[in-house]
Amino acid sequence: MNKIVLKGDIVFTPDKDNFKTYKNSYLVAEEGKVIGIYRKLKEEFKSYPIKDFTEKLIIPGFVDIHLHAPQYPNRGLGYDEELIPWLDTYTFPEEAKYDDLDYAKKVYKRVVKDLWRHGTTSAIVYSSIYKESTKLLMELFIEANLRAYIGKVNMDRNTSDKLKEDTEKSLLDTEEIILEYKDRSTLVKPIITPRFVPTCTSDLMEGLGNLAMKYGIPVQSHLSENRQEVEWVNRLHPDLKDYASVYNEYNLFGQTKTIMAHCIYNTQEEMDLMAKNQVFAAHCPYSNYNLSSGIMPVRKFLDRGIPVGLGSDISGGHSLSIPNIMVGAIQASKMKWLHTNKGLKPLTSSEAFFLGTKGGGSFFGKVGSFEEGYALDALIIDDSTLGDTEGLSLEERVQRFIYIGDDRNIVEIYVEGKKVDEPM
Amino acid sequence: MNKIVLKGDIVFTPDKDNFKTYKNSYLVAEEGKVIGIYRKLKEEFKSYPIKDFTEKLIIPGFVDIHLHAPQYPNRGLGYDEELIPWLDTYTFPEEAKYDDLDYAKKVYKRVVKDLWRHGTTSAIVYSSIYKESTKLLMELFIEANLRAYIGKVNMDRNTSDKLKEDTEKSLLDTEEIILEYKDRSTLVKPIITPRFVPTCTSDLMEGLGNLAMKYGIPVQSHLSENRQEVEWVNRLHPDLKDYASVYNEYNLFGQTKTIMAHCIYNTQEEMDLMAKNQVFAAHCPYSNYNLSSGIMPVRKFLDRGIPVGLGSDISGGHSLSIPNIMVGAIQASKMKWLHTNKGLKPLTSSEAFFLGTKGGGSFFGKVGSFEEGYALDALIIDDSTLGDTEGLSLEERVQRFIYIGDDRNIVEIYVEGKKVDEPM
C-alpha cells in the first residue's frame, strides 16, 4: 500500500472563511488520500515513510480551472485590444498552428512544465480544434502525473476559415477522444468544450450536449465576458431568454458537471440557474483586466452558493501563477466594493486561497483540501527567503507567500501522495 | 575619460506615445551620459570598450518614485485593512523599530539588494523618523551605486507616542541630514518628507517649507489617497480650501521640486495647481488596490501635463517590481475606462513604460531615457526564457517581458555608465 507522512507547517481552507493551521504536524495519507493530520504522530503511522519539511509550509496544490494551452506563446501580447478583435488578431492565428504536431509538442511541453513549476497540480484546459494535438496534450499531462481535464475545442461558425470545423467531423472527433480517454487515466480526463455560443451552431451544441449526456462527460465554455459578446449572443439566439439559456437549451449547463468562464455580466436569472444547476464559475481576474472586460461580482456568486474557482485564462491572462491570481481576485473585489458603494464585500485572503484550491478543486471531486478522504495534492513552500517568520502566524506566512512569493519558493510537489518531478 | 558602448536591441520611450527601438545597435556613453545610438558604430567610438549584448534587450533602468524602506518587512501583510487602521496596526509599530540601528541595517540592506535585483536604478524613498538609520540608508544607497532621494519622515501629531516627534527636534534633525548629505554624493540626495498633513502640525510644515526653500531641497508627501483621509484633512484645516492648499500654504507644493503620492481623490482645482507648480504625482496602483483606496484617474493627470511616475509604495504595495506595477497601472486604467463609460482612455504599454522610466526619472533630471545627454542607467534583459523571439518586434518583446518576465531576466545593470554589482 502506498503510504506517506508529510511533516511541517500545514495550512488549508476547508471552508472559505477560515484558514486551518497545524504548526509542526504530520499529514498522513494512504493510497494517495488523506487519513488525517496529527500534532503527534500516532503509533500506527510510525512505520510510514516520513518526509520531514519542518519549518516549511505544506499547502494544497493549486487548481486552475480555466486556461487555453495553445495560447501560451501569446502571453503578454495584444492587451491593447478587447475580446473580439483580440480573438481575431492574436488568438485564432496562433490556435491555427496546432495541426502541426511538432509545434504543438514544443509549446505543450512548456505549458505542462510551467504549470508544474507554479504548483498547479490540477488544471482544466482548452486545447485547439485539432484532435491529434489534443491527444498529445492529454498524454503529456498523463506523463507528468498532473491532474487535468482537457477539452478539444469545437467551433463551426464565426471563426477563421482554417479553424471552422465541419459540424459532423467536430462531433466525431470529440467522440473519438472521449472513447479513447475516458478511462485511460485516473488523473487526466476529457471535457466537452464548445468554445462559446458565437462560434457554435445549434446543431453542434445539440450534438455536444448529447455526447455529454451519453458518456457522462463534463462541459466547459465561456459566459458573459464582454458586453459586445453578450449582445452578439442575443442577436444570434433571439428566441432564447439569455446567454445561459442557450447552453441550457442544449444540455450544456449543469446537466453534467459544467464550468463557465468569466461570468461578468450575468443577469440575476442566469445566476439563479447556475446555482440551481451547480454550474461552476471560473473567475479570471487578470484576463478580465487585460482585455478590459470588467470585474466579476464574485461576492454575488459566493452568496448564492454557486461554486467558484480561479482561472489563469492564459493568454487573456498573462500569469500562470494561481497565487498571483488570488491577489488579482482580492484586488478586483476591492475595486468592486468601492464601485458598489461598499455593497459587495471584498474577498478575504482565506476566501481567495479557498477559490484557488478547494473551490476549483471540487470540480475534480475531493481535491484542494487536506480533510480526510481528500487527494493528497500538496506543495512544500520554503518561505525563508521572504523575510523573518518569527512572530508571524502560519496564516500570515501563507498570505505573505501569496503576495510576494513565486515559483522559487515551491520546493516539492505531490499529487495523489506521490512526489511529482519536473516534467521532461 | 569613462567611456562605454552597449551593443544589443535598444528600446526606450522618449515620449509616452511611442517606443523607440533600435535592433542590434550601439549605445555610446561618455562620463556616464548618452552620446548617441548608432546602427553602425562610428569610427571615433571604435576604441571604446564594447559590451556585446547581441540578441538581448537594453532598456532604461526602472524608476520607483514612492516607497517606504522601513515597511519592507510588512510586504504581503495586513491588506484586509484600509489606510488609517493599516497605519495604526501594521505600519507605525514596524517603523518604531528603526531607532535600532542593527535592525535597520538588516532590513535596509535587503531593501537595497532587492531594488537592485528588480532593476530599479533610481528610487525615491521614505525612511522612518529616525535620523541615524536614515543616514545609514543613505550610505547603503551610496555604497550600492544606485540613484536615490531619501527622506527622513517628519511627524509631530496623530501617530503613536513613540513616533511623535518634538517639532523643533524634527526640524533640527532634518537640517542636520540636509547639511551632511546635500553634497555628499552625486547619486544620493536628501528629500524633505512630511509624512502627510494629518501627522504634521502647521509649525512643522512651516519649518519644513522654510528648509526646502533655504537649501533648495525637494519635497515628498502623500495626497488624497483615501476618502476618510481627505475628510480628516478638511477637518484639521477648515481654513484652507483643500488638501493640496495645505501643502501649498507652507511652500511644500512645487516651490521646490515636489512629489505627491496617490492623488486618487484630487479636485479639479488641486490638479490645476499641480499642473501650474509642476508637482509630480506618484501613481501606486497596487497599493491603491491592496488598501482599497481606489483608482487614480491617471489619464486626467497626463492630459493636464502633470508629471507622473510610478511607485511601488512598499508596503501598501506588495511588489517592488516596476514592470509588475506597469501592468497594474495599465489594468487599473482599463477598469477606470469602463467605470467612466469609456471616458478616460486606458494606458497603452508605451505609456506605462514611460511612467516607470522617463516619467518618474525626470524628477532626477535627465534620467530614464537614452536620448543624448541622459544618464546611462540601463538594464540588460535576456528574454530568451520567455518564449520565441522570432517574428516579434522589439516593442512586443519588451511588452512580453513586462507582463511575464521577472528579476531573473535582468542580467546586468548599469548606472551612470558603470556596471552595478549586487550590493553586499
Side-chain angles (χ1 to χ4, degrees):
Chain A
M1 191 169 72
N2 163 21
K3 304 159 177 176
I4 193 165
V5 180
L6 304 180
K7 183 187 179 202
D9 296 336
I10 300 163
V11 183
F12 61 104
T13 44
D15 61 75
K16 70 181 177 55
D17 298 321
N18 296 289
F19 282 105
K20 202 148 187 172
T21 64
Y22 297 83
K23 179 81 194 153
N24 204 27
S25 296
Y26 300 85
L27 173 56
V28 178
E30 291 174 358
E31 298 298 357
K33 310 298 178 195
V34 173
I35 298 296
I37 299 172
Y38 308 94
R39 310 263 177 198
K40 261 191 71 174
L41 195 59
K42 280 192 186 172
E43 203 52 44
E44 59 192 289
F45 304 129
K46 287 204 169 152
S47 64
Y48 288 22
I50 296 188
K51 302 267 195 169
D52 189 347
F53 300 115
T54 301
E55 308 276 298
K56 296 191 174 57
L57 295 165
I58 303 175
I59 61 175
F62 297 126
V63 182
D64 184 344
I65 70 168
H66 185 67
L67 75 147
H68 295 264
Q71 295 175 22
Y72 182 82
N74 278 346
R75 288 168 311 141
L77 298 176
Y79 299 144
D80 290 344
E81 307 288 347
E82 279 189 86
L83 178 64
I84 308 299
W86 172 81
L87 281 172
D88 291 336
T89 316
Y90 288 88
T91 307
F92 290 153
E94 180 62 30
E95 290 195 14
K97 297 179 185 171
Y98 290 77
D99 56 347
D100 175 345
L101 275 177
D102 290 332
Y103 184 76
K105 191 168 194 172
K106 192 180 84 168
V107 174
Y108 287 166
K109 280 188 156 197
R110 285 191 193 155
V111 173
V112 173
K113 204 184 277 258
D114 218 10
L115 284 167
W116 173 86
R117 193 161 68 85
H118 286 94
T120 298
T121 50
S122 299
I124 304 179
V125 186
Y126 288 55
S127 74
S128 66
I129 61 163
Y130 299 108
K131 182 179 69 182
E132 292 307 326
S133 55
T134 301
K135 292 183 186 177
L136 171 70
L137 183 58
M138 298 186 84
E139 292 298 333
L140 290 172
F141 271 95
I142 292 168
E143 270 173 41
N145 237 340
L146 294 172
R147 195 183 297 281
Y149 281 104
I150 313 276
K152 186 205 101 60
V153 167
N154 304 96
M155 297 199 271
D156 68 346
R157 65 172 170 178
N158 293 319
T159 182
S160 66
D161 285 347
K162 190 173 172 202
L163 291 177
K164 197 180 297 173
E165 298 179 289
D166 170 75
T167 309
E168 205 49 46
K169 182 169 186 321
S170 180
L171 292 168
L172 285 171
D173 285 356
T174 304
E175 189 163 19
E176 179 181 320
I177 291 172
I178 291 171
L179 290 169
E180 203 169 321
Y181 282 90
K182 70 185 174 58
D183 304 313
R184 160 101 174 75
S185 152
T186 52
L187 290 179
V188 179
K189 300 279 182 190
I191 183 166
I192 287 173
T193 307
R195 184 178 210 111
F196 69 151
V197 168
T199 60
C200 301
T201 61
S202 297
D203 285 350
L204 179 59
M205 288 189 278
E206 189 177 351
L208 292 172
N210 291 343
L211 287 175
M213 304 287 276
K214 179 172 173 191
Y215 297 107
I217 302 292
V219 170
Q220 64 180 345
S221 195
H222 297 86
L223 181 65
S224 299
E225 175 176 0
N226 174 293
R227 287 195 191 282
Q228 280 76 45
E229 170 212 9
V230 174
E231 288 161 16
W232 191 12
V233 171
N234 292 342
R235 284 197 305 276
L236 288 167
H237 297 271
D239 45 321
L240 291 165
K241 188 167 54 188
D242 50 36
Y243 199 159
S245 300
V246 183
Y247 293 120
N248 197 47
E249 175 80 6
Y250 299 109
N251 292 319
L252 297 166
F253 206 70
Q255 288 73 21
T256 60
K257 263 190 316 190
T258 300
I259 297 182
M260 288 286 150
H262 306 304
C263 300
I264 299 174
Y265 296 108
N266 286 10
T267 64
Q268 306 292 333
E269 276 177 304
E270 286 178 307
M271 282 186 267
D272 292 343
L273 189 60
M274 288 182 80
K276 181 167 160 248
N277 292 6
Q278 285 295 290
V279 170
F280 279 66
H283 180 29
C284 309
Y286 280 143
S287 171
N288 301 335
Y289 280 149
N290 289 337
L291 299 179
S292 300
S293 302
I295 297 179
M296 178 199 183
V298 63
R299 177 65 58 201
K300 287 191 188 175
F301 288 74
L302 296 176
D303 285 350
R304 272 183 169 76
I306 298 168
V308 182
L310 297 180
S312 63
D313 192 22
I314 298 297
S315 72
H318 56 284
S319 171
L320 260 179
S321 155
I322 291 295
N324 277 2
I325 294 158
M326 291 175 183
V327 171
I330 294 171
Q331 294 181 332
S333 72
K334 286 175 175 172
M335 293 307 104
K336 200 73 185 172
W337 177 68
L338 288 177
H339 291 130
T340 55
N341 281 317
K342 311 199 175 182
L344 295 175
K345 261 198 318 176
L347 292 178
T348 62
S349 329
S350 74
E351 287 179 322
F353 191 85
F354 175 87
L355 295 181
T357 53
K358 189 177 174 182
S362 309
F363 193 80
F364 292 87
K366 291 193 166 183
V367 169
S369 182
F370 292 146
E371 294 153 83
E372 195 188 332
Y374 271 70
L376 183 68
D377 295 0
L379 308 179
I380 313 301
I381 308 294
D382 179 353
D383 62 340
S384 60
T385 58
L386 304 180
D388 292 339
T389 53
E390 209 186 294
L392 294 186
S393 66
L394 295 191
E395 181 174 333
E396 285 174 316
R397 283 173 57 197
V398 167
Q399 280 174 20
R400 184 173 65 177
F401 162 68
I402 292 170
Y403 275 95
I404 69 170
D406 65 23
D407 56 284
R408 285 168 277 198
N409 301 105
I410 304 175
V411 293
E412 287 200 12
I413 296 174
Y414 290 80
V415 170
E416 290 268 337
K418 285 191 200 132
K419 181 160 181 272
V420 183
D421 292 319
E422 182 169 7
M424 293 288 283
Chain B
M1 193 167 71
N2 164 22
K3 305 160 177 177
I4 193 166
V5 180
L6 304 181
K7 183 187 179 202
D9 296 336
I10 300 162
V11 183
F12 61 104
T13 43
D15 60 76
K16 71 182 177 54
D17 298 321
N18 296 289
F19 282 103
K20 201 147 188 171
T21 63
Y22 296 83
K23 179 83 193 150
N24 204 25
S25 296
Y26 300 85
L27 173 56
V28 178
E30 291 174 359
E31 298 298 357
K33 310 299 178 196
V34 174
I35 298 295
I37 300 172
Y38 309 93
R39 310 263 177 198
K40 261 191 71 175
L41 194 59
K42 281 192 185 172
E43 203 52 43
E44 58 192 290
F45 303 128
K46 287 202 170 153
S47 64
Y48 288 22
I50 297 188
K51 302 268 195 168
D52 189 347
F53 300 114
T54 301
E55 306 276 300
K56 296 192 173 57
L57 294 165
I58 303 175
I59 62 175
F62 297 126
V63 182
D64 183 343
I65 69 168
H66 185 67
L67 74 147
H68 296 262
Q71 296 175 22
Y72 181 83
N74 278 346
R75 288 168 310 141
L77 298 176
Y79 300 142
D80 290 344
E81 307 289 348
E82 279 189 86
L83 177 64
I84 308 299
W86 172 81
L87 281 172
D88 291 336
T89 316
Y90 288 88
T91 307
F92 291 152
E94 180 61 31
E95 290 196 13
K97 297 179 186 171
Y98 289 77
D99 56 347
D100 175 346
L101 275 178
D102 290 333
Y103 184 76
K105 191 169 194 171
K106 192 182 83 169
V107 174
Y108 287 166
K109 280 187 156 196
R110 285 191 194 154
V111 172
V112 172
K113 205 185 276 256
D114 218 10
L115 284 167
W116 172 85
R117 193 161 67 87
H118 285 94
T120 299
T121 50
S122 300
I124 304 180
V125 186
Y126 288 55
S127 74
S128 66
I129 60 163
Y130 300 108
K131 183 179 68 181
E132 292 308 325
S133 54
T134 301
K135 291 183 188 177
L136 171 69
L137 183 58
M138 298 186 83
E139 292 298 331
L140 290 171
F141 271 96
I142 292 170
E143 270 171 42
N145 237 340
L146 294 172
R147 194 184 299 281
Y149 281 104
I150 313 277
K152 185 205 104 56
V153 167
N154 305 95
M155 296 199 270
D156 67 346
R157 65 171 171 179
N158 292 319
T159 180
S160 66
D161 286 347
K162 192 175 171 199
L163 291 177
K164 197 180 297 173
E165 299 179 289
D166 170 75
T167 310
E168 205 48 45
K169 183 171 187 317
S170 181
L171 292 169
L172 284 171
D173 284 356
T174 305
E175 189 163 20
E176 179 181 321
I177 292 172
I178 291 171
L179 289 169
E180 203 169 321
Y181 282 90
K182 70 186 174 57
D183 303 315
R184 161 100 174 73
S185 151
T186 52
L187 289 179
V188 179
K189 299 280 183 190
I191 184 166
I192 287 173
T193 307
R195 184 180 209 109
F196 68 152
V197 168
T199 60
C200 301
T201 62
S202 297
D203 285 350
L204 180 59
M205 288 190 279
E206 188 177 352
L208 292 173
N210 291 342
L211 287 175
M213 304 288 277
K214 179 172 174 189
Y215 296 106
I217 302 292
V219 169
Q220 65 180 344
S221 194
H222 296 86
L223 181 65
S224 299
E225 176 175 1
N226 175 292
R227 287 196 191 282
Q228 280 75 46
E229 170 212 8
V230 174
E231 288 161 17
W232 192 11
V233 170
N234 292 342
R235 285 197 305 276
L236 289 167
H237 297 272
D239 45 321
L240 291 166
K241 186 166 57 190
D242 51 36
Y243 199 159
S245 299
V246 183
Y247 293 120
N248 196 47
E249 175 80 7
Y250 300 109
N251 293 320
L252 296 166
F253 206 70
Q255 288 73 21
T256 59
K257 264 190 316 191
T258 299
I259 297 182
M260 288 286 149
H262 306 304
C263 300
I264 299 173
Y265 295 108
N266 286 10
T267 64
Q268 306 292 334
E269 275 177 302
E270 287 179 307
M271 282 186 268
D272 292 341
L273 189 60
M274 288 182 80
K276 181 167 159 245
N277 293 5
Q278 285 295 289
V279 170
F280 279 65
H283 180 29
C284 309
Y286 281 142
S287 171
N288 301 336
Y289 280 148
N290 289 338
L291 299 179
S292 300
S293 302
I295 297 178
M296 178 199 181
V298 63
R299 176 65 58 201
K300 287 191 188 175
F301 288 74
L302 296 176
D303 285 350
R304 272 184 170 76
I306 297 168
V308 182
L310 298 180
S312 64
D313 193 22
I314 298 298
S315 71
H318 56 285
S319 171
L320 260 179
S321 155
I322 291 294
N324 277 1
I325 294 157
M326 291 174 183
V327 171
I330 294 171
Q331 293 180 332
S333 72
K334 286 174 175 172
M335 292 308 103
K336 199 72 184 174
W337 177 68
L338 287 177
H339 292 129
T340 55
N341 281 317
K342 310 200 175 181
L344 295 176
K345 262 197 317 175
L347 292 177
T348 62
S349 327
S350 72
E351 288 180 321
F353 191 85
F354 175 87
L355 294 181
T357 54
K358 189 177 173 181
S362 309
F363 193 80
F364 292 87
K366 291 194 165 184
V367 168
S369 181
F370 292 146
E371 294 153 82
E372 195 188 332
Y374 272 70
L376 183 67
D377 295 0
L379 309 179
I380 312 303
I381 308 294
D382 178 354
D383 62 339
S384 61
T385 58
L386 304 180
D388 292 340
T389 53
E390 210 185 293
L392 293 186
S393 66
L394 294 192
E395 181 174 335
E396 285 174 316
R397 283 173 57 197
V398 167
Q399 280 173 19
R400 184 173 65 176
F401 163 68
I402 292 170
Y403 275 94
I404 70 170
D406 65 23
D407 55 285
R408 286 168 278 198
N409 301 105
I410 303 175
V411 293
E412 286 199 13
I413 296 174
Y414 290 79
V415 170
E416 290 269 336
K418 285 190 200 131
K419 180 159 182 275
V420 183
D421 292 320
E422 182 168 7
M424 294 288 282

